[in-house]
Amino acid sequence: MKKLFIETYGCQMNFADSEVVASILKEMYSLTKDIQEADLILINTCSIRDKAEQRIHKRLKELEAYKRKKRTMQVGLLGCMAERMKEELLQTEPVLDFIAGPDAYRSLPQLIADSQHGHTSFNVLLSKEETYDNIMPVRYDANGVSAFVSIMRGCNNFCSYCVVPYTRGRERSRSPKTILGEIEDLLKDNYKEVTLLGQNVNSYYWKEEGQEVSFAKLMAMVAEMSPELRVRFATSHPKDLSDELIETIARYDNICKCIHLPVQSGSDRMLKLMNRHYDSAWYLERIAAIRRYMPDCSITTDVIAGFCTETEEEHQMTLEMFRKVRYDYAYMFKFSMRPNTYAEKHLHDDVTEEVKTRRLEEIIALQGQIALENNRKEIGKEYEVLVEGESHRSKERLFGRNSQNKVIVFERHEVQPGQYVKVKVVDCTAATLLGELCTQ
Ligand code: SAM
Ligand code: SF4
């Protein structure tokens, strides 16, 4: 059998998509981790920021050397960059034999065949229906404990800075039946945790034969499959975070107490320009609602520093938001103007690179301090930890996560990955908790 090497960039959705791609091609190729022996290299790409795209252009240049050594090798580019740049990429990147957008993976066998016959081929059609519903992903890089399950695709929100609605198309949900079927198979394979994935999971909606399934209902259905199964989800939009969903998370012990709620900015003027459909008061009310139902729930976020016309005062409002919410973790970015977005067409990217960098550094410094203070409060507490594997630093230690998604490292003793164990927190850094195994 020919050999396939897949390299994935970007968000968890992309990693889940690569597993779908591996499944579509499994009759034609076996997977390899050694790029040198590959007959086909697929690069699954991300367009979210300019830096992400630059990294991929650089990687494509490196691939030219592999192709020179092995003339029959094919290289295909998948994902958001394929969708954003379309055929232009085939002209500017001669290493590429074909490209496929996020809704075109079923046509990969055809694209590969066409390019083998000397045609450069592409399919970047977006679909209103495609969810790869009936495809069982090949979990080639999984740890055997925790898996991602894609429950919807696309996004209808059109945040003014964001390229995703253009690269991944309109929102569409997958049928509960095939989602539950996929999780059933994971349970049979002894998986202990699933993360339900979508760009905007809480707008999940399915209707069939008069039966409606909301995201909260779907979460409950998954949680009831087994008390041994932990359920997580990413990412939720603040405007769709209903009380019904918060109540559902609170009601089930096995739905993890961690909500990723991207804030993006603490300034109402910025939030409006970003087209986020909430203001800071609404956001803080949602945080209060989470804390009302689940005082122990961890909250994490995404934030953008230096969006168009952001003033110093507005940046201070973001810092203030961080002080108020006290996030356990944050993904923090400098604004990067993306072609064809509303921001590119109508707003001015007038915050200098220097100021963006300084603002981002201030947010990172504050968040580091808050995360450390939050973690210090964990010392002395006991948590149920799902063990995921060996610690990167030492074979004598294992790591796992508590329900709040905090990483806890502890001495291994007789414990195996996939087990639930009780661990007492004895020390911490800003990123990790250090624990001791409790004797039962
Ligand atoms: N759908 C999710 C949401 O709305 O939170 C995640 C979308 S995106 C893959 C992840 C994060 O990238 C966003 O939450 C935002 O903070 C950031 N992002 C998106 N576009 C950006 C841009 N043009 N510049 C900088 N950061 C950006
Ligand atoms: Fe992008 Fe906004 Fe959609 Fe998230 S919700 S993917 S930030 S447009």
Side-chain angles (χ1 to χ4, degrees):
M1 226 190 214
K2 286 185 169 179
K3 296 265 196 291
L4 165 63
F5 178 89
I6 310 186
E7 197 165 280
T8 308
Y9 294 81
C11 64
Q12 290 160 344
M13 291 290 300
N14 261 11
F15 285 83
D17 277 4
S18 290
E19 296 180 340
V20 166
V21 167
S23 176
I24 290 170
L25 296 178
K26 69 173 187 280
E27 309 299 330
M28 298 164 68
Y29 293 90
S30 63
L31 287 158
T32 176
K33 285 186 191 294
D34 178 4
I35 192 165
Q36 314 259 13
E37 66 167 22
D39 298 291
L40 172 62
I41 299 176
L42 292 177
I43 310 288
N44 196 353
T45 61
C46 170
S47 282
I48 200 84
R49 283 165 289 275
D50 184 54
K51 228 177 165 178
E53 288 194 354
Q54 293 316 324
R55 209 172 138 207
I56 288 157
H57 284 300
K58 197 163 156 245
R59 183 66 175 141
L60 292 175
K61 291 279 163 293
E62 288 167 12
L63 294 185
E64 284 174 9
Y66 291 110
K67 217 172 164 176
R68 269 196 300 273
K69 268 194 231 152
K70 189 171 177 181
R71 295 257 165 219
T72 54
M73 182 187 274
Q74 285 180 288
V75 181
L77 184 137
L78 315 177
C80 288
M81 257 174 100
E83 198 60 53
R84 196 183 79 67
M85 300 174 79
K86 304 191 168 54
E87 311 94 279
E88 179 200 327
L89 260 178
L90 291 170
Q91 267 112 53
T92 53
E93 297 289 355
V95 74
L96 292 177
D97 295 290
F98 60 90
I99 65 171
D103 288 345
Y105 299 147
R106 286 183 204 267
S107 68
L108 278 170
Q110 189 61 50
L111 291 171
I112 294 166
D114 288 349
S115 75
Q116 273 163 347
H117 292 106
H119 310 287
T120 44
S121 53
F122 63 92
N123 184 348
V124 288
L125 286 175
L126 286 175
S127 152
K128 285 196 180 126
E129 288 95 31
E130 182 61 273
T131 55
Y132 300 111
D133 217 20
N134 57 344
I135 294 174
M136 186 63 194
V138 174
R139 305 197 187 267
Y140 60 88
D141 228 4
N143 58 6
V145 178
S146 179
F148 294 118
V149 175
S150 175
I151 62 160
M152 64 178 302
R153 299 179 74 78
C155 180
N156 288 349
N157 285 327
F158 288 92
C159 298
S160 62
Y161 50 80
C162 186
V163 79
V164 169
Y166 307 94
T167 58
R168 290 191 156 261
R170 295 293 71 73
E171 233 166 67
R172 64 219 100 118
S173 297
R174 187 179 162 192
S175 78
K177 196 169 157 222
T178 61
I179 296 171
L180 298 184
E182 187 175 323
I183 297 172
E184 198 64 65
D185 285 352
L186 287 167
L187 281 169
K188 279 187 206 137
D189 287 341
N190 277 324
Y191 278 83
K192 296 283 165 50
E193 183 176 86
V194 288
T195 303
L196 307 184
L197 279 188
Q199 292 296 348
N200 190 11
V201 275
N202 42 355
S203 64
Y204 175 90
Y205 178 76
W206 184 261
K207 193 171 175 189
E208 200 171 33
E209 292 163 6
Q211 280 267 33
E212 289 182 63
V213 181
S214 65
F215 180 58
K217 205 161 172 191
L218 180 73
M219 289 278 283
M221 288 157 89
V222 176
E224 280 169 19
M225 289 176 78
S226 161
E228 281 273 294
L229 179 74
R230 275 187 175 181
V231 189
R232 300 189 185 277
F233 60 97
T235 300
S236 42
H237 193 296
K239 77 174 166 56
D240 299 319
L241 188 73
S242 64
D243 277 27
E244 184 203 6
L245 177 57
I246 302 175
E247 270 169 19
T248 307
I249 301 169
R251 189 159 9 107
Y252 289 92
D253 279 348
N254 60 335
I255 299 185
C256 291
K257 304 298 176 267
C258 175
I259 300 184
H260 185 64
L261 204 62
V263 65
Q264 313 299 2
S265 170
S267 142
D268 290 343
R269 191 182 72 91
M270 284 294 103
L271 290 172
K272 198 155 195 235
L273 274 188
M274 288 174 166
N275 196 33
R276 288 291 288 177
H277 298 284
Y278 57 84
D279 59 14
S280 55
W282 162 274
Y283 184 88
L284 285 169
E285 193 286 317
R286 291 291 78 197
I287 298 290
I290 296 171
R291 300 239 152 100
R292 239 184 349 262
Y293 285 99
M294 298 174 281
D296 64 338
C297 188
S298 137
I299 299 173
T300 61
T301 202
D302 292 352
V303 70
I304 299 178
F307 184 57
C308 304
T309 72
E310 184 189 68
T311 63
E312 211 47 48
E313 202 187 343
E314 287 162 340
H315 163 61
Q316 290 301 326
M317 290 173 181
T318 297
L319 294 175
E320 195 48 37
M321 179 62 90
F322 271 59
R323 285 188 202 102
K324 280 186 183 148
V325 181
R326 301 187 60 78
Y327 298 107
D328 285 304
Y329 189 82
Y331 295 94
M332 299 163 276
F333 310 105
K334 266 192 277 188
F335 171 61
S336 163
M337 185 64 98
R338 306 310 294 130
N340 288 323
T341 54
Y342 179 93
E344 202 240 0
K345 288 182 184 151
H346 303 282
L347 306 175
H348 299 292
D349 185 12
D350 59 355
V351 180
T352 63
E353 198 51 33
E354 208 183 336
V355 170
K356 280 182 191 168
T357 304
R358 194 251 305 145
R359 288 183 188 167
L360 179 64
E361 281 168 359
E362 286 177 11
I363 301 173
I364 292 173
L366 174 62
Q367 178 52 34
Q369 189 189 324
I370 292 170
L372 181 61
E373 286 165 10
N374 286 356
N375 277 355
R376 282 198 182 126
K377 288 193 192 139
E378 305 287 3
I379 294 174
K381 291 188 189 165
E382 287 180 10
Y383 285 109
E384 181 167 73
V385 170
L386 173 59
V387 184
E388 288 182 33
E390 266 172 19
S391 146
H392 304 301
R393 296 232 176 117
S394 155
K395 279 190 177 344
E396 301 310 309
R397 290 171 163 203
L398 294 174
F399 82 96
R401 281 163 215 269
N402 63 6
S403 169
Q404 287 74 4
N405 210 22
K406 290 197 175 181
V407 173
I408 306 189
V409 176
F410 58 96
E411 295 289 328
R412 77 179 307 155
H413 299 279
E414 303 301 310
V415 175
Q416 296 299 325
Q419 256 178 275
Y420 285 104
V421 288
K422 260 257 163 75
V423 178
K424 182 174 180 172
V425 181
V426 293
D427 202 356
C428 71
T429 66
T432 313
L433 301 177
L434 301 173
E436 276 170 7
L437 204 59
C438 301
T439 42
Q440 309 293 336

